Amino acid sequence: MTEQRVQTSEALRVGLVLALAGGYLDAYTYLCRGGVFANAETGNMVLLGVKLAAGDWGGAVKYLPPIFAFFLGVLAAEAIRRRGKAAPSARVHWRQWVLALEIGVLAAAAFAPLGGAWDMAVNWAVSFVCALQVESFRRVHGKAYATTMCTGNLRSGTELLYQYFQTRDRGILRSSLRYYQVIVAFIAGAAVSAVLAGPLGQWSVLAACVLLAVVLVSLSRAEVTSRE
């Protein structure tokens, strides 16, 4: 085996924790905040179209804020990244600022009561957070992936699995399995969210803050070593 130096933000363990948080938040908004998927904007766009076709204008409106918030989150992440790149000697990496912003927004969302306009506000906040995350953490071991949605991960993992069967290259197999590990972590996060949503209600979102805090601490290391 050979050793490979991997930037901490691209380490598998970071990707798995972020995927846990991504699945957790998607289940949280669906179960606790009015049946909206704050991470999967494709789903919200489909539901928006369905409501519009049915003439349910009130029902359609609730899907607009998370879509627009995701748009704003991508812009914010890019602005933070650009500012961070302009100051490479800064003690705090730009991704740490992103995580701190995510934690702050989610912690504030925990104080919003369940129901009505509060749900819409929280869905807006969570979509914003998820856009920050998916824009800032885009690779595991050099491979593009997502922590707040899994369709692309499933496609990439399966494509690599097919390549492995053709080449028997174990490096390709390891890359494929990383995608499936991220998918399993995402599902596990959703399951944990479902368990905690009942007893904790609106406060259950704080568990996602804990997961993001773990990643924030881990980013204090410049790189980690993995074996290939």
Side-chain angles (χ1 to χ4, degrees):
M1 281 200 266
T2 60
E3 289 190 349
Q4 178 187 19
R5 304 301 289 184
V6 179
Q7 185 175 326
T8 304
S9 62
E10 294 189 15
L12 178 61
R13 59 183 173 82
V14 167
L16 293 178
V17 176
L18 289 174
L20 275 168
Y24 189 98
L25 288 172
D26 224 11
Y28 170 76
T29 56
Y30 185 81
L31 295 171
C32 297
R33 298 294 183 174
V36 172
F37 290 113
N39 297 7
E41 299 312 317
T42 300
N44 287 330
M45 291 176 187
V46 169
L47 294 173
L48 173 63
V50 169
K51 294 295 183 181
L52 290 175
D56 183 1
W57 309 111
V61 165
K62 74 175 183 178
Y63 296 105
L64 289 174
I67 293 171
F68 186 61
F70 195 94
F71 166 83
L72 293 178
V74 172
L75 294 181
E78 282 300 297
I80 295 171
R81 183 187 67 82
R82 181 176 293 273
R83 188 176 183 86
K85 293 290 187 180
S89 61
R91 292 175 61 88
V92 179
H93 192 274
W94 68 269
R95 287 190 177 89
Q96 291 174 293
W97 284 116
V98 168
L99 287 166
L101 179 57
E102 287 188 60
I103 293 169
V105 171
L106 293 177
F111 290 90
L114 297 178
W118 287 110
D119 283 353
M120 185 177 293
V122 171
N123 289 330
W124 179 297
V126 174
S127 291
F128 178 80
V129 162
C130 290
L132 288 173
Q133 181 170 306
V134 77
E135 184 68 9
S136 302
F137 297 88
R138 303 169 69 170
R139 293 185 178 275
V140 166
H141 288 249
K143 299 289 186 181
Y145 84 122
T147 59
T148 64
M149 58 199 81
C150 283
T151 303
N153 296 333
L154 181 60
R155 182 201 63 80
S156 297
T158 305
E159 178 183 314
L160 288 169
L161 185 62
Y162 178 83
Q163 292 177 15
Y164 165 72
F165 288 134
Q166 298 299 307
T167 65
R168 299 298 174 179
D169 185 326
R170 297 189 67 81
I172 292 177
L173 177 61
R174 283 190 288 272
S175 294
S176 174
L177 293 178
R178 289 187 191 112
Y179 280 108
Y180 292 120
Q181 287 176 273
V182 169
I183 291 170
V184 171
F186 187 90
I187 295 171
V192 172
S193 184
V195 171
L196 296 181
L200 298 181
Q202 70 192 64
W203 303 103
S204 63
V205 72
L206 294 176
C209 295
V210 174
L211 293 171
L212 295 174
V214 169
V215 177
L216 178 60
V217 171
S218 73
L219 289 186
S220 61
R221 295 182 61 190
E223 56 183 18
V224 296
T225 301
S226 69
R227 293 187 178 273
E228 293 288 352

